[in-house]
């Protein structure tokens, strides 16, 4: 387990819902640089992944209208979808503008500058996987390294001081109004849905996927004490408890947070979920 590019995309659900908000935590899983035009990673049921070449671009209207199963969580009827969206290929400037209205510059500085919607959609889609390739992540590495305390004899855990490293990003994510975050996401939804279908889900609804990923993250256990760590053969930290180590990259990112931070993130995820499910069963 590496504390590298984690912070993640919680914003998963947020604007990008996608985008901005909490990705950082989950980026700590890897330090590998992403290629300029990343392949699209498609998670397999076994937890693996594969890369697929880009498909023929579609217009937002075509992507939104493609044949698909009925949405469990359709967008609310009053959702304000922007009628004058750019193409997905030309959407980076618009995405950056919308995120800048919600998040401070230090947070946005972690977001890779190109293919932003595609990266964010891919990142969110992989958060419930045990392993992901670097090309499935949307952020630069979080500054600094994982801080630990203790030794092999007494037990190694994430140091209390490590919470300060995450603090600005957790604060930015939890301070955003969930309804405003959801509204920004819904304005861009045709592009988001196009990116999701081009990722390899031609019949899927991304809003349903976001809700499923949030529900998965909310199931992250809350240990009574910091979990023990050990180094693997490559010198990376991993959880001693095999059940914790086998969890997804998203849940392991939450497990690395200080307990109060993890609870605050979960509270915000619940608020975002409520904002995204006003059009469905909840």
């Amino acid at each position: 387990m590496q504390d590298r590019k984690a912070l993640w995309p919680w914003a998963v659900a947020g604007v990008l819902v996608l985008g901005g908000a909490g990705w950082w935590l989950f980026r700590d899983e890897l330090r590998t640089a992403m290629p300029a035009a990343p392949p699209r990673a498609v998670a397999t049921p076994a937890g693996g992944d594969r890369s697929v070449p880009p498909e023929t671009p579609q217009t937002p209207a075509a992507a939104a209208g493609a044949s698909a199963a009925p949405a469990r969580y359709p967008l609310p009827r009053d959702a304000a979808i922007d009628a004058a969206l750019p193409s997905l290929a030309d959407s980076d400037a618009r995405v950056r503008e919308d995120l800048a209205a919600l998040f401070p510059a230090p947070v946005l500085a972690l977001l890779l500058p190109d293919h932003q919607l595609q990266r964010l959609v891919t990142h969110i889609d992989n958060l419930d996987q045990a392993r992901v390739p670097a090309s499935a992540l949307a952020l630069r590495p979080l500054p600094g390294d994982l801080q630990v305390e203790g030794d092999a004899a007494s037990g190694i855990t994430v140091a209390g001081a490590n919470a300060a490293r995450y603090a600005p990003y957790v604060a930015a994510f939890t301070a955003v109004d969930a309804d405003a975050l959801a509204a920004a996401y819904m304005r861009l939804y045709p592009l988001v849905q196009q990116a999701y279908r081009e990722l390899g889900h031609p019949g899927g609804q991304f809003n349903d996927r976001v809700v499923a990923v949030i529900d998965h993250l909310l199931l992250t256990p809350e240990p009574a004490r910091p979990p023990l760590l050990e180094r693997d053969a490559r010198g990376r930290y991993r959880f001693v408890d095999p059940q914790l180590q086998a969890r997804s990259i998203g849940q392991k990112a939450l497990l690395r947070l200080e307990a109060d931070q993890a609870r605050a993130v979960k509270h915000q995820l619940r608020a975002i979920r409520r904002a995204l499910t006003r059009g469905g069963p909840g």
Side-chain angles (χ1 to χ4, degrees):
M1 177 192 78
Q2 278 183 302
D3 176 76
R4 301 222 170 169
K5 304 179 173 182
L7 259 135
W8 84 314
W10 293 317
V12 172
V15 170
L16 309 202
V17 209
L18 289 235
W23 296 94
W24 35 81
L25 282 178
F26 300 107
R27 198 49 177 149
D28 257 359
E29 280 293 319
L30 298 169
R31 282 281 190 185
T32 308
M34 296 177 73
R40 288 171 289 112
V42 180
T44 64
D49 55 79
R50 59 189 176 85
S51 296
V52 296
E55 298 173 3
T56 302
Q58 300 179 11
T59 64
S67 175
R72 176 175 173 79
Y73 299 104
L75 297 189
R77 292 184 178 180
D78 61 351
I81 296 175
D82 194 330
L85 290 172
S87 68
L88 180 60
D90 296 324
S91 64
D92 284 342
R94 171 61 188 276
V95 171
R96 175 69 62 169
E97 178 183 346
D98 282 10
L99 289 175
L102 293 165
F103 299 103
V107 170
L108 296 183
L110 294 180
L111 188 65
L112 289 166
D114 60 338
H115 309 289
Q116 290 174 348
L117 271 182
Q118 297 96 318
R119 291 178 189 272
L120 291 168
V121 167
T122 304
H123 192 137
I124 290 171
D125 190 43
N126 279 273
L127 283 178
D128 60 358
Q129 301 299 305
R131 299 177 304 278
V132 298
S135 59
L137 300 176
L139 303 178
R140 294 185 175 91
L142 191 68
D145 294 310
L146 179 68
Q147 303 297 305
V148 300
E149 58 190 10
D151 53 35
S154 62
I156 300 171
T157 62
V158 175
N162 199 65
R165 184 166 162 253
Y166 292 142
Y169 308 99
V170 172
F173 175 60
T174 57
V176 171
D177 180 85
D179 289 328
L181 194 61
Y185 160 68
M186 291 174 191
R187 286 194 295 271
L188 295 174
Y189 193 75
L191 297 180
V192 174
Q193 179 68 2
Q194 179 184 349
Y196 184 56
R197 292 189 174 177
E198 291 183 2
L199 181 62
H201 306 286
Q205 299 287 345
F206 187 68
N207 203 52
D208 290 351
R209 179 62 178 149
V210 168
V211 174
V213 170
I214 291 176
D215 287 344
H216 170 78
L217 296 173
L218 291 175
L219 292 175
T220 305
E222 299 180 8
R225 55 183 57 85
L228 293 175
L229 306 176
E230 62 185 359
R231 285 188 180 273
D232 64 15
R234 298 171 64 183
R236 300 176 303 182
Y237 285 107
R238 54 183 284 131
F239 292 113
V240 172
D241 184 338
Q243 293 186 349
L244 294 183
Q245 183 58 31
R247 289 184 175 269
S248 67
I249 62 165
Q251 290 191 350
K252 284 191 286 188
L254 283 172
L255 286 165
R256 284 197 295 274
L257 293 180
E258 188 271 333
D260 287 343
Q261 290 178 329
R263 283 191 288 269
V265 167
K266 285 185 174 184
H267 179 79
Q268 179 71 322
L269 286 174
R270 292 186 185 97
I272 292 171
R273 189 189 191 284
R274 287 192 295 271
L276 296 180
T277 57
R278 292 189 293 116

